Amino acid sequence: MKSKIRSKALPVVSAVLALSLMAACSSGSQEKTEEASADNKATSAVSVKATLWTPLNANAAAAIKSMNELPIMQEWAKKTNVTFEFQHPSGTSTQDQQQQYGVMVASNNLPDSMLWNWNNVTGGTTKMFQDGTIIKLNDLIEKNAPNLKKILNDNPQIAKQLKADNGDIYVLPHLRVGQYGQYKTFSGLMLRQDWLEELGLKTPETIDEWEQVLKAFKEKKGAIPFTSQKNYVISNYDFAGAFGLPGINFYVDNGKVKYGPLAPEYKQYLALMQRWYKEGLIDPDFASNDTKTMDAKVTSGKAGAFYGYIGGSMGVYSPALVKDNPKAKLAAAQFPVMKKGDEPKFTQAAWEYDNVGTVITSQSKHAAEIVKAMDYLYSDEGAMLKNFGIEGQTYKKENGQPKYTDLILNNPDKLPLATAMGKYFIANYSFTGLDDDRYNDQYYLLPEQKDAVKIYSKYSSNTYKSALPPIAPTPEEAKEMSKIKNDVETLLKEQVTKIIMGSMKVEDFDKTVEQLKKMNIDRAIEINQTALDRYNKR
């Protein structure tokens, strides 16, 4: 939306009234030429090329080799006079990306800017600033980012999430905020709705009802009642939530930081999981399933329930199931509770800022221009470009609302919806700027997906009361925390898996808790508490 800088010559007033018409025309022509020349010089003066390092999202990688290929990049450059040259690390795993990031920083061969989830770096952006890798952005935002500045002024809770404890800002964030940025819950429990109807069962709400449904799926459908991926034991907040716990995670109880596995109720959860496994209600391969294996079990109709994403799971599984069985239907289920009428305490809800954003390195000579260019993505026009692409090509306006064209919804190359989006613009993954949930209204095409949005988000406000907010441990604290967390989660994954499979008694988990104490889990709680106290004072 940046307007061109115009330099207009003042009209020359001649004292001689008898100038010829030709001379007047000649003067006017010269004036316009000078104006155009000044205009071009001003434009070229701020036109820069800046490098941007960021992993290539899987949705985009399925269709393009680099974000340089996205059509919106040319439009973005026209609007801001900044052309970004993208650099993508090879490899898709976070570990691969972390390794390549480390090599890049160690070699001191830095791009102008970098965009990533900065939780992947121990100590986060504060440590990066202290190490001299990136610069502080407060003054640059004040002078060059009016759109982001307004968002932070109007939404103090977002400013609180974004700022370091000392008030510094190091990142130009990806945000879910405003009129079209309210979706913050994207995943949850799913199950076969057609089986429920066939068996005369209702969607389960309590743990007892879930058990009844899973038994029916096993006994009457011959199915794997509940399947999951191998990391499920680490992210087991769905059923553990019924016991008032977020699984293997830290949480806040009346202002005090606690750790799920240390609570007495965690043993009750483990006892339930062990019994469900023994009775065949949990996939016997839960500890080894990879993504492809789980996908195959669901799409082949062998599984009755699972944890998944509204877009990437339900949006893929539902069409695959219907292809072989027209009556097949998936449905979202609320996070379970223990007693009928209780509200879920923990859901999978995201904060407005998800720790993804752009940082500017200390080696960049274009910091102000990069901030200006990124700020465009916080404007209404820039957010439209980011989330919907180019009007007339990938979307059109209907009753004032953006609607994707058949290039996206019915792609001529038969690209899946997520891939078609990834080929043309940035909507279904995190990137600096504003989300626009009007994309989700079309991304979630199926009725069951639209229902899932309502179901999963119904109690998300409860999560914000109990979940640990985006605190910022100091670099020293973060280093210490990382060591403790890795040791603790490695032990828990092993021990919890053994308990669920029955090779270890639930009662023996007391010994595991003792080991956690020796691994300094109390110190980890203390670090989080200190960081939370600082966060609350921001």
Side-chain angles (χ1 to χ4, degrees), residues 267 499 504-516:
K267 287 174 62 178
I499 289 175
M504 179 176 164
K505 295 179 180 179
V506 174
E507 294 76 16
D508 291 339
F509 191 71
D510 291 337
K511 296 178 182 178
T512 301
V513 171
E514 291 177 5
Q515 289 179 275
L516 296 179

Side-chain angles (χ1 to χ4, degrees), residues 402-468:
K403 299 295 181 183
Y404 290 127
T405 64
D406 282 345
L407 185 62
I408 304 301
L409 298 179
N410 296 290
N411 184 266
D413 295 324
K414 306 300 182 184
L415 295 177
L417 182 58
T419 305
M421 289 179 172
K423 184 177 180 179
Y424 292 97
F425 47 82
I426 306 166
N428 50 4
Y429 57 94
S430 298
F431 194 90
T432 290
L434 295 179
D435 273 6
D436 189 320
D437 286 335
R438 290 176 295 180
Y439 110 80
N440 267 329
D441 293 338
Q442 299 170 78
Y443 184 41
Y444 299 156
L445 291 173
L446 304 173
E448 53 264 41
Q449 289 178 295
K450 296 183 186 299
D451 290 340
V453 172
K454 299 174 184 177
I455 291 170
Y456 295 152
S457 62
K458 184 175 181 180
Y459 298 109
S460 58
S461 59
N462 292 347
T463 302
Y464 300 119
K465 298 175 184 176
S466 301
L468 196 64

Side-chain angles (χ1 to χ4, degrees), residues 221-255:
K221 297 301 298 182
I224 300 169
F226 187 87
T227 189
S228 65
Q229 293 188 43
K230 57 187 176 182
N231 289 327
Y232 174 74
V233 294
I234 291 298
S235 57
N236 53 7
Y237 43 74
D238 34 37
F239 290 115
F243 296 86
L245 303 171
I248 300 177
N249 282 296
F250 296 95
Y251 65 104
V252 181
D253 182 13
N254 291 320

Side-chain angles (χ1 to χ4, degrees), residues 236-362:
N236 53 7
Y237 43 74
D238 34 37
F239 290 115
F243 296 86
L245 303 171
I248 300 177
N249 282 296
F250 296 95
Y251 65 104
V252 181
D253 182 13
N254 291 320
K256 299 297 181 182
V257 175
K258 296 183 178 181
Y259 191 56
L262 301 186
E265 293 82 2
Y266 194 73
K267 287 174 62 178
Q268 298 174 26
Y269 160 76
L270 290 178
L272 176 72
M273 293 294 102
Q274 186 184 75
R275 181 167 62 80
W276 279 8
Y277 182 84
K278 184 178 180 181
E279 295 176 1
L281 305 185
I282 295 176
D283 189 340
D285 301 320
F286 80 90
S288 59
N289 285 334
D290 59 16
T291 303
K292 291 183 179 179
T293 304
M294 179 178 161
D295 289 350
K297 289 180 177 180
V298 176
T299 57
S300 65
K302 294 179 180 178
F306 54 91
Y307 174 88
Y309 293 86
I310 301 173
S313 301
M314 185 176 280
V316 174
Y317 295 157
S318 287
L321 285 167
V322 170
K323 186 176 181 180
D324 293 329
N325 177 8
K327 294 183 179 180
K329 184 179 180 181
L330 290 176
Q334 188 55 262
F335 291 88
V337 293
M338 198 60 66
K339 297 178 181 179
K340 201 82 167 178
D342 286 352
E343 294 184 1
K345 187 176 181 179
F346 293 98
T347 67
Q348 181 65 355
W351 298 89
E352 288 91 346
Y353 168 51
D354 60 359
N355 287 298
V356 174
T358 299
V359 297
I360 300 177
T361 72
S362 54

Side-chain angles (χ1 to χ4, degrees), residues 35 54 73 86 105 119 198 287 330 377 392 405 442 459:
E35 178 184 336
T54 184
M73 292 305 162
F86 286 88
V105 172
N119 280 335
E198 177 188 337
L330 290 176
L377 301 181
T405 64
Q442 299 170 78
Y459 298 109

Side-chain angles (χ1 to χ4, degrees), residues 25-203:
C25 290
S26 174
S27 176
S29 176
Q30 181 179 0
E31 219 172 87
K32 290 179 181 178
T33 301
E34 290 174 352
E35 178 184 336
S37 176
D39 192 27
N40 290 333
K41 288 179 181 179
T43 300
S44 62
V46 296
S47 180
V48 301
K49 289 185 177 181
T51 50
L52 174 56
W53 179 94
T54 184
L56 184 60
N57 181 268
N59 291 321
I64 60 176
K65 294 182 179 179
S66 169
M67 291 182 71
N68 294 318
E69 301 174 35
L70 292 176
I72 64 169
M73 292 305 162
Q74 298 177 18
E75 294 299 312
W76 189 13
K78 289 178 183 177
K79 294 292 184 179
T80 63
N81 293 316
V82 176
T83 300
F84 286 100
E85 296 180 350
F86 286 88
Q87 300 174 354
H88 302 300
S90 59
T92 58
S93 72
T94 301
Q95 186 175 5
D96 289 339
Q97 295 161 6
Q98 287 174 321
Q99 183 178 15
Q100 291 174 62
Y101 167 82
V103 170
M104 180 174 63
V105 172
S107 67
N108 201 34
N109 184 20
L110 298 173
D112 289 295
S113 54
M114 301 181 287
L115 190 153
W116 203 18
N117 185 327
W118 298 111
N119 280 335
N120 294 324
V121 177
T122 301
T125 51
T126 298
K127 180 67 162 59
M128 295 164 68
F129 174 71
Q130 291 184 357
D131 289 344
T133 304
I134 62 174
I135 62 174
K136 184 170 68 172
L137 303 178
N138 298 57
D139 290 342
L140 286 164
I141 291 173
E142 179 70 25
K143 297 175 182 177
N144 303 288
N147 296 302
L148 176 57
K149 180 182 174 182
K150 184 177 188 307
I151 290 171
L152 298 182
N153 288 340
D154 292 347
N155 300 272
Q157 81 281 6
I158 295 177
K160 187 175 182 179
Q161 294 170 34
L162 182 62
K163 292 179 179 179
D165 293 325
N166 63 358
D168 284 354
I169 298 176
Y170 307 118
V171 62
L172 301 165
H174 165 244
L175 295 176
R176 302 181 180 97
V177 65
Q179 182 180 0
Y180 303 119
Q182 299 304 314
Y183 288 4
K184 300 183 182 71
T185 304
F186 308 97
S187 57
L189 292 167
M190 303 176 184
L191 73 177
R192 289 289 296 270
Q193 176 67 29
D194 55 314
W195 290 3
L196 290 179
E197 294 172 358
E198 177 188 337
L199 299 172
L201 297 170
K202 294 182 179 181
T203 303

